[in-house]
Amino acid sequence: MQGERAEDRVVLRIGGADAHSFLHGLVTHDPGDGLTYSALLTPQGKYLADFFLLDRGDDLLLDVKDVLASDLIQRLSMYRLRADVVIEEAGLGVVRGVGNAPDGAYTDPRSPSLGWRVYGVEGGDPTIDWDAIRVAECVPETGVELIPNETYILEAGFDRLSGVDYRKGCYVGQEVTARMKHKTELKKGFVTVDVEGAAPVGAEITAGGKVAGTLYTQADGKGIAYLRFGRAKGPMEAGEARVSWSGTVV
């Protein structure tokens, strides 16, 4: 299947002699074979940006949502200090698709259902319903479910999506993330829910008259919701929509 242009992505090039060690001290998952899904956090452990990393040996590519690119470059430049690191736009387009992957493509590390990505080639017009795939797999999206300076990545399922490596060394926000993983039980987070009807993205979900969460992306009778697990029991409502949850946290 021909891939389609991902028109909302920017690819950065991270080069220089210190590029690998520089990123190692900052991101939640080091680049490895193929594409790696990773994130940059605040020192308090809150999400700032998520992206894909591709290690090309002499440099790395960083594939990020366009609305985050400028702030991410500024943030990375702030951390650079005297390190031998070059941060610049790579001038490469992103093509993604599902089905048979072309030569040079890399599997999306978050879920096989999200297909593949390839860089620096021509793609067709967007036609794939990526929201439907994301909802079915409970994959949060930048600027919709993932909110800079608010979201905690474990509540967003980054460990399930291969976006955090607990075996690597320290990175910005690592202490808070590790404590949430090993010393607490998550009481809130993103899950896929059944939705009858429709509601605006960001609609409040209530259960028994109490706030139980927020409903976000919806497709094919399902939605991604941020729920307070202790309250999300029985029938729920979000505006004119009816919401139900199996009680399973993936």
Side-chain angles (χ1 to χ4, degrees):
M1 175 179 287
Q2 181 187 23
E4 61 178 45
R5 297 186 303 275
E7 297 176 330
D8 59 350
R9 307 295 295 187
V10 171
V11 180
L12 306 179
R13 188 185 79 87
I14 314 297
D18 299 329
H20 290 78
S21 59
F22 169 72
L23 283 178
H24 173 76
L26 295 177
V27 302
T28 61
H29 201 304
D30 288 334
D33 295 333
L35 275 187
T36 299
Y37 184 51
S38 192
L40 181 68
L41 310 181
T42 69
Q44 295 76 33
K46 293 185 178 182
Y47 163 91
L48 284 174
D50 61 318
F51 37 78
F52 300 98
L53 293 172
L54 179 62
D55 189 347
R56 303 196 299 181
D58 291 338
D59 62 9
L60 303 104
L61 296 183
L62 189 156
D63 167 3
V64 65
K65 188 92 170 206
D66 53 4
V67 296
L68 297 181
S70 178
D71 285 345
L72 180 60
I73 291 172
Q74 184 176 10
R75 180 80 56 160
L76 292 176
S77 298
M78 178 186 71
Y79 282 121
R80 180 174 54 189
L81 300 177
R82 297 182 179 179
D84 182 2
V85 174
V86 175
I87 304 166
E88 60 188 4
E89 290 198 23
L92 298 174
V94 181
V95 171
R96 59 182 181 174
V98 294
N100 295 329
D103 292 340
Y106 299 92
T107 301
D108 191 314
R110 298 172 297 176
S111 168
S113 297
L114 288 166
W116 46 264
R117 306 171 84 85
V118 64
Y119 300 95
V121 301
E122 294 294 325
D125 293 335
T127 59
I128 298 171
D129 188 349
W130 293 104
D131 278 349
I133 299 174
R134 288 199 307 105
V135 169
E137 299 294 326
C138 196
V139 178
E141 174 65 23
T142 304
V144 183
E145 291 87 13
L146 298 175
I147 308 300
N149 292 298
E150 291 186 17
T151 303
Y152 286 104
I153 62 168
L154 297 193
E155 293 183 346
F158 270 57
D159 44 1
R160 172 176 55 84
L161 300 172
S162 302
V164 57
D165 183 359
Y166 297 106
R167 299 168 299 177
K168 70 171 300 233
C170 293
Y171 55 86
V172 177
Q174 184 266 346
E175 183 177 354
V176 174
T177 304
R179 186 165 62 246
M180 289 182 68
K181 175 66 174 178
H182 299 296
K183 295 186 178 181
T184 63
E185 180 180 353
L186 290 180
K187 297 181 179 180
K188 297 179 288 185
F190 288 110
V191 297
T192 296
V193 296
D194 293 315
V195 181
E196 182 180 340
V201 170
E204 184 177 83
I205 298 174
T206 58
K210 295 183 178 180
V211 176
T214 307
L215 182 61
Y216 291 97
T217 308
Q218 300 149 62
D220 298 337
K222 295 186 179 296
I224 295 177
Y226 180 76
L227 295 181
R228 300 182 184 184
F229 302 139
R231 293 186 180 180
K233 300 175 181 178
M236 295 180 284
E237 297 178 346
E240 299 298 319
R242 296 182 180 179
V243 178
S244 59
W245 175 48
S246 68
T248 301
V249 180
V250 178

